[in-house]
Structure formats: C-alpha cells, structure tokens
Amino acid sequence: MSDPGLRFSVLGPVRVWRDGDEVEIGSPQQRLVLAVLLLAEGRVVGHGHLLDAIWGEDRPRTAMSTLRTYVSRLRSALGAEVITSIGSGYALAGGTCDLVTMEELSREGRYGEALALWRGEPLAGLEGGYAEGQRIRLGERRLAVQELRLAREVEEGGHAEVIAELTALRGEHPARERLAGLLMLALYRSGRQAEAIGVFTDTRELLAEDLGIDPSPELAELYQRIITADPALGLKRAASPAVRQVPRQLPADTSDFTGRESEVDEMVDALRAGNASALVISAVSGAGGMGKTTLAVHVAHRLAPDYPDGQLFVNLRGSGAQPLAPETVLGRFLRSLGAEVPADSEEPGERAALYRSTLADRRMLVVLDNAANVAQVRPLLPGAAECAVLVTSRAKMVGLSGVRQVDLGVLPHDEAMALLGKVVGEARVAAEREAAADLIGACGYLPLAIRIVASRLAARPAWSVARMRDRMADERRRLAELRVDDLAVEATFALGYDQLDAGLASAFRLLAVPDAADFSLGSAAAVLGLDEPDAEEVCEALVDVSMLESPSPGHYRYHDLLKIFARSRPDDEDVRRAALARLLGYYLAGMTAAYHLTYPGAPVSGAGPSSPGPSFPGPSFADEEAAVSWAEDEEQGVISCVHQIARTPGSVLSDAIRLLDMASDVLETDVTPERYERAAGALVEAAAARGDRRAEAHARCVRGGFWTSRWFLDAAIEDGVAARDLSLAEDDLARYAESLNLLALAVSSRGSKTEAIALYAEAVEVWRRLGDRSSETVGLGNMALALASVDRTAEAVEAVELAERTIRELGGGADPDILYQSAVVLRDAGRPEEALSRLLETRKAYRRLKQRVREGATLLRMAETHLVLGQLDRAVDCAEDSLGLMAEAGDEWIQGKALVALGQAFSYLGQPGRAGACLAEALEIFVRRNMPEADEVQVLLERHGASWWNAEPKVTALTG
C-alpha cells in the first residue's frame, strides 16, 4: 500500500484516519464514492458503476462533472496517489480497511477480534440502493462470523454463557436454522431439554407458515438426538434454584418512548453482556429535560429478563435541596430483598456491607436515578460482578471505577418529529409538517420541552401546530410557554442553577452574553476576564454539572433554552456590556496578529496614528498556518460579535469594522460572502444612525468589497460613491483612496476598463502622497490587470514590477495577490514561462492560507498559461482542478473562465464535442450572471466554427 498510515473504516460510518488522526472526508456523497472504492478492495471501479452507486437511475445532467469533483476533493483530503485514474475508472491504492482486517482475522479463527471491529451499522449515514444492498451483504457476513464464534463457545463448554446472546440473535433472525441449532444445543447442554425442543417446534412452525418448507435434515437430526437424550451431545442437568424474594421496582415504561436507538443499544449491550470480574456500571448524564430517567427506565425494562433475581429502583433526589442519604436508600433496598435490617444499624458502612452480602449470589439490576454525586452512589453499588448498575445524574460520574458514560444530548430532528407525532397524532403533524419542524426547533429538540408543547396541543385539538409555534416565537415568552401541569422547563433548569455557587452562577450568566451559538476557551476567558487556565476550570465545572456543553476540547455551548434561561437571570447591564467589549478586544487582538503574519508589513485598514490598539490581550501564533486556523475556528464568533456590537448602544463601531475588514483578508470570505455582507450592512446602518461618518465610510468600503465578489456591481458602486463622498467630507484621504479602489474594481468587473484605470491611478497617487506605500502596491497590482486587459502590456508590466519592488523595499514577503497579478500580466506580455513559475508559487501560498477561491483562480490562470505553451494535458488537469474547487466554493466567474480554457484544450486535442459542451456551459453562466465575458464567448463560438477544432493551440484570454 502506498500510505501505510491511512486507515479506513466501513464497518460503521465511513471514516478515515492518518497516523491516528481522523481525516475529514466531506459530504455523504463523497463518503459513498470512497465506500465504493474501498469495497472494491483495490480493483478498478468504472465511472458507470460509481454513477449508479451515487444516483441510481436518477442521474443529473452534471453527474460526471460532479463525480470528478468528489474524487478531486477526496484526493485533496487523502493524497493524490491514493486514488488513481485507470482507464475509465478509479482504484484505491493506499491504507488498510477494517473490512479486510475483519476477513483476515476470521480466516485465522480470531472471531472475537474480528467482531470487535464493527462500530454499528455498516456504511451508516449513506443512502441509496447501492449502500442499502451493501449493508445487507455486510450484515450477513457479520452474522456468519457471529455464528462461528458462538459455535466455538458451545463446543468449548461455554454453552450456558451464550444462551442469552443466541436467544436475542434468533429473535432478530427467526428463520435462520444455524442459530436455532446452536440455541437448541446450548439449552440442551445446560439441562434445559424442554426449551431446546420448544425452539425446534417454533422454528418448524415458522418455516412452514412463512416459507412453506420443512427444517433442514441437519436441524431435524439434532432434534431427534435431543429428544432421545443422545449421550454424545453431553447433557448436563442444572440444579433447581432456591426460591427467594424478587423485587420488581421499575416504574412503568413510557408507552410513546421514541428514538435514542444508539444509546439504548449501547447500554443494553454493555449491561446485558456483563463482566466476569467486575461490576458493570452505565451512567447517563445530561442537562435537565434531556430524558435521562425515561431512557434509564426504558433500558431497564429491556434488560429485566436478563436479571431474573430482580430490579431495584430509587429516585435519589440529587437535583433537589435534600438528596436522599445513602443509609436511607440501603435500608429500603435491604427490606425489599427480604433481609433483616436491625433498627440500631444506622452506620452506612455496616448497611452497605450487608447489602453487598445479600446481593453476592444474585443477578440483579440496580437503577439509581437522579444522583447528586459519586459520594451518594458509591455505597449503593453491589459487590457482585453478576449485577449491573444504571445511574442517571446531571453531573458526570467520573469518579466511579469502570463506569461507562453516556452523555445524553438533544434528540435528532427525525426523532423529535416522531415524538411530537406520537403525542399529538401523526396525521396532525403530517398536515403541518413545516410548522411542526419550526416548533421542535423552538424547543431546541429538548425532549421535555417537546413533550410539554405536544401535551398542550393534545389537550387542545382546536389549536393548530402553527399557533403553538407562533406562541413560541418570542424568546422572552418561550420559557413561560413550556409548562404544563407539574412539568416546566424553567423549573427544571432552576434546580441545576440553584446548586451553583456564586462564582459559577455569575460565569453561567456571563458566558450567555455573546450571541454566538458556541465559543472557544479563548473567547470564554475574554468574556469572564480570566486567563485561559482559570476560564477552563470554570467552564469544565459547568460542563460537569450539565449547565454547559463541550462538543469538542476547548469549545463550549449552551442548549438554546438553557441560554435563554441564563439570559433571563438578573444581572447588571454594565457588567454585560463590559464582557462584550472584552470579547471584541480579544477578537481584534487575535485578528490583528493573524493579519500581520499572513500579510507582513501591510497596514491595518482603519488604524491610523490615533487609533488605539486592541483593548484585550489576544492569542499568539507560531506561524501563519496557526493564525489562519485560529481565525477559521473563531469565524462564526467574530461575525456574531460584529452584529452584536452594531446593535449595542455605546459600543466601539470602529473596532468592529476593523475586525471585519481584517477577517475578510485573513479568511476565505469569497465562498460565503453574503454572511460578511450582512455583517458589514449592520455596521453601515449603525454608523449612519449614530452619525459617525468616518465609520460609515469604512463600513461601506468593506461592504462594497463583498458586493463585488458576489457580482452585485450596482450595489458596490453605490457604496463606493457614498464612501468617497463621506470620506471627502471628513477629509479622510486614506478612506477616499480606498473608495476609489473599490469603485475601480466594480467598474472593471462591469467591463469599463478605461474608467477603472483612471480610478486606480488616482487612488495610487493619493496613497503615494500619504506615504502609504503598502496600500499603493494594492492599487498598482489591480491597475496592472486592467492595463493588461486592454493590451497596454508594457504599462502593466511596469506597474506590477513597481509593486513587487516596493514590497521588497518594505521588507515584506512575497504577496500572493501581487504574484498572481504579475503572472497574468507576464503571460499577456509574452513571457509564459515566467508567468507559470509565479503561478506555481502563488498556488502554494493560497493553499497554505486556505484560500480556495483564489487557488481556483490561480489554477485557471495556470490552465490558460499551459495552453499558451502548448501543454494541453496539463491545461486540462489545471482547468479540471479549478472546476473541482469551484463546485464547492461557488465562484461562477472562475467556473465560466475555467470552462472556456477546458473547451479550448479539448478542441486542440481533437475532442470537438466536449469542447463545444464546455463553451456552451460557460456561455450559460456568463449570460445568466450578466457578465461581460458572455459576448466574448459568443464571438469565440461563432468566429471559429468547425475549422477551429483543428487549429494550432493558442489561448483566447477573456477580459478580467
């Protein structure tokens, strides 16, 4: 294998690891492509087979192009050498797969190790006929290995231990005679001859009724040997158990229990299997309202047959003001077991010892609901390994040895809808499906909240689901709506909040100040005004008591309703505003550091000599890769903070605008510019409302840049003109030059190159007078592209070389934007080899900075340059790679240009059909988006006609 560090899994969700670290492999469709290649085990998989696997008979028109995109993304994630193109298909040539390992272990007779590789349903999360067919095939293979393992257990004397497992498997596969035979033999050897005969009788009747067949000769022969007590079968008679008191204390199971299948299966498997040497404990933790008790009772009822000596249950009242004392619970348990409890025996240790002795030879299930902490639970644990314990609590039971933790979260969407339907009525929910989806969303998918609104609807048949949804729309009233009879979400949350000490309660309120859905440890430290170690201790303490969630290390979030509850607690408004200001300061400091690492020597837009520095210490970074990773991690928080600052009276707008401006350079905003445009729009409106003309001009320049990237050129020009007028009124020449640069970009995109050149020249002159040489290079690079597009190549080369020379004099590293502009200019000036060298360097830089759109543009320019050099295969590869990136990033201008380059390459390769299709697709994009390139592509198609397809290679560069 080409990469021994790669490890693949299909025996569960499709996943990949490299050297122990999980690799992100993208969408379900990409995972399905990878699964098909993995299941081929190194063989070539044809395009047709892959297309069938993904879409079946409903292939879209762009299916082949989309498949290429999926493969391109997988190659980027796994390495180009892992997936190879062979003929009209692909093959996987790297790593190890758990399916192959499972088969090897099975051949060696190591069945337990083979089965341990399974992680749930194979190909979990993948849809379609192909995936379902493979799931059936793999499930059959797993069952066959299970049968081999169980057969060995029965033959080696473990017949009694496997009866429960065989019974469960036979229940799932009642017509499978191999399982029936193993169960019959295990029962017979355990002295349960009558039950063994009953299994045969049931199997015979089922086969006759459902399939119209008789049992196989092998099963019939085993039956004859059992009823004649064949000594060769090794009959062992079991002793009759002594009669004893059997408590059955479980509350009634919930009749409309819904979902939680993975948690139920995990807990049932763990508690049913037991442990030969140690007590098995399963602990369910989670916030109030998650359904911990409901789940525990449901699981306990499933397990009751496996614990024939009884089930003990107690509500420990751990979330209340007076939790039950362990000695009180021990007394109740002992009396339920028929043990004598001396009246003077109040010492917990004595009662605990008697309790353990009483359970020593029993197989019992103990359910300890609503525990306060480990100290309350530990005396209630049996000493016998044959017993099992199920604990529920808000706090995690981290101090219990060998505990299996189950952290209960909210319900998935489908399960939440199913719960609503079971209580309200499925027909009623189906009739208002959209309103029902909104309603469970307003409930935050919290089981208690869904059950409350469902109960209210069930009691009010005249109400529509939409009416209940509308009542929940106002966050200020939402908690008040979530109460019925003795159930109330707010009261459930208050139980946990009231147990916090003053410091944790204050942190719980403060951390809810930011609007962002989740937050990092660094931002939490800023909000709390603590250093990171102290902030982490506070956050983890809140996680431990389920008042906060931690979806990944160093990241935290509230449940939606718990955040509303936190914000409803009284707190000083000045304290909240100070916390928000610290958060803005943290983001500004971090983004400033990231900006200086990614653009060495470049000035921060909007930061003049009088601008204060960041008001809160930010993170430090080892290199630009670490800086970009931090910015990506904090992106949602940054955008949310900008919106919140815009809405907060008295906040510092200029800092928020600088933050958004720098973020737009450090991060890849081209993929989803609308989020940034909305944030900039909020700042424009806030600045205008406050009469802050300098801030408004800056915000309009920032928003205009986002308008341009989305090709909303009229809006960009409107912002540019307004920013120009505002900055002139304020005598803000730096912002005036920036507005001119924005206007030039917009009119150039519209095709008015001469007007753009004049605007660039004026902007460059203003920056030069101000001594802002770094900004001057930006204008020079942009102007060079505009000059080259109107064949003023000598001037273009002069401008871009001046920009490069200035950057060197300023001591900065190579600017990838200037390198890109230089390459385009040099290509148009007849120096393609130099252009290609710069483009290669540019692509490396953009990949390092994770700028996919700019990398896609660079690949497009590389394709055009390879065409100039007559390197047609390389031109095709670069154009295809550019299209693959743009299919995800969504920049249609680059897609159109790449399709033109691809069409030209195919034409020179003698493939006129594919060439015409590419050009037609490019024309459709340019016409639909009203881009000036449409006319040029139309002329290109009409001018060349059929004779063009055999012409000598040359590039017809479009404007831009």
Side-chain angles (χ1 to χ4, degrees), residues 798-816:
E798 181 181 355
V800 81
E801 287 181 345
L802 176 57
E804 290 182 314
R805 194 162 56 248
T806 302
I807 288 174
R808 287 194 297 272
E809 291 172 0
L810 290 173
D815 186 316

Side-chain angles (χ1 to χ4, degrees), residues 465-745:
V465 177
R467 179 173 182 179
M468 191 71 241
R469 174 203 62 192
D470 294 343
R471 293 176 67 92
M472 291 278 288
D474 187 348
E475 284 192 1
R476 294 168 299 179
R477 288 178 42 83
R478 192 170 298 171
L479 291 178
E481 293 288 342
L482 291 172
R483 62 178 71 242
V484 63
D485 296 332
D486 61 342
L487 298 178
V489 168
E490 185 171 16
T492 299
F493 289 162
L495 288 172
Y497 177 75
D498 291 343
Q499 291 188 339
L500 301 177
D501 62 34
L504 282 182
S506 174
F508 174 74
R509 298 191 302 272
L510 274 183
L511 289 170
V513 168
D515 285 342
D518 55 33
F519 50 91
S520 68
L521 175 58
S523 58
V527 169
L528 296 174
L530 301 173
D531 58 25
E532 287 198 11
D534 289 342
E536 183 175 32
E537 186 175 340
V538 169
C539 290
E540 290 298 326
L542 290 170
V543 170
D544 287 342
V545 293
S546 298
M547 298 299 282
L548 200 62
E549 300 172 11
S550 180
S552 60
H555 289 80
Y556 304 94
R557 69 185 178 203
Y558 287 89
H559 180 272
D560 292 347
L561 294 178
L562 199 53
K563 187 167 189 173
I564 294 173
F565 173 81
R567 287 180 162 185
S568 72
R569 300 301 92 182
D571 214 342
D572 189 290
E573 189 59 34
D574 289 340
V575 172
R576 294 176 186 260
R577 289 185 183 180
L580 182 60
R582 289 194 297 271
L583 180 64
L584 174 63
Y586 168 76
Y587 283 144
L588 185 61
M591 201 62 72
T592 301
Y595 181 85
H596 286 317
L597 274 172
T598 51
Y599 299 97
V604 176
S605 180
S610 61
S611 301
S615 58
F616 193 87
S620 57
F621 310 111
D623 51 35
E624 64 182 25
E625 182 177 353
V628 172
S629 294
W630 173 86
E632 286 181 329
D633 191 42
E634 298 286 7
E635 182 179 23
Q636 293 297 333
V638 165
I639 294 175
S640 177
C641 181
V642 167
H643 277 284
Q644 199 168 353
I645 289 293
R647 295 195 308 271
T648 303
S651 59
V652 185
L653 288 180
S654 59
D655 282 354
I657 300 169
R658 287 163 56 200
L659 171 62
L660 191 67
D661 200 355
M662 285 188 290
S664 70
D665 287 321
V666 174
L667 292 161
E668 186 185 29
T669 59
D670 298 325
V671 176
T672 54
E674 60 277 2
R675 292 184 304 149
Y676 285 81
E677 176 272 312
R678 288 194 294 269
L683 292 170
V684 169
E685 293 176 8
R690 298 185 194 184
D692 189 341
R693 295 192 293 185
R694 280 180 174 265
E696 184 183 351
H698 189 182
R700 285 186 178 274
C701 284
V702 174
R703 184 172 67 175
F706 300 137
W707 286 133
T708 304
S709 67
R710 296 179 67 192
W711 216 259
F712 295 147
L713 302 181
D714 289 342
I717 291 171
E718 181 182 341
D719 268 341
V721 169
R724 180 194 63 191
D725 295 344
L726 287 165
S727 57
L728 280 176
E730 290 294 307
D731 197 25
D732 186 351
L733 292 181
R735 194 70 57 221
Y736 173 68
E738 188 178 346
S739 68
L740 294 176
N741 186 68
L742 167 62
L743 286 168
L745 283 170

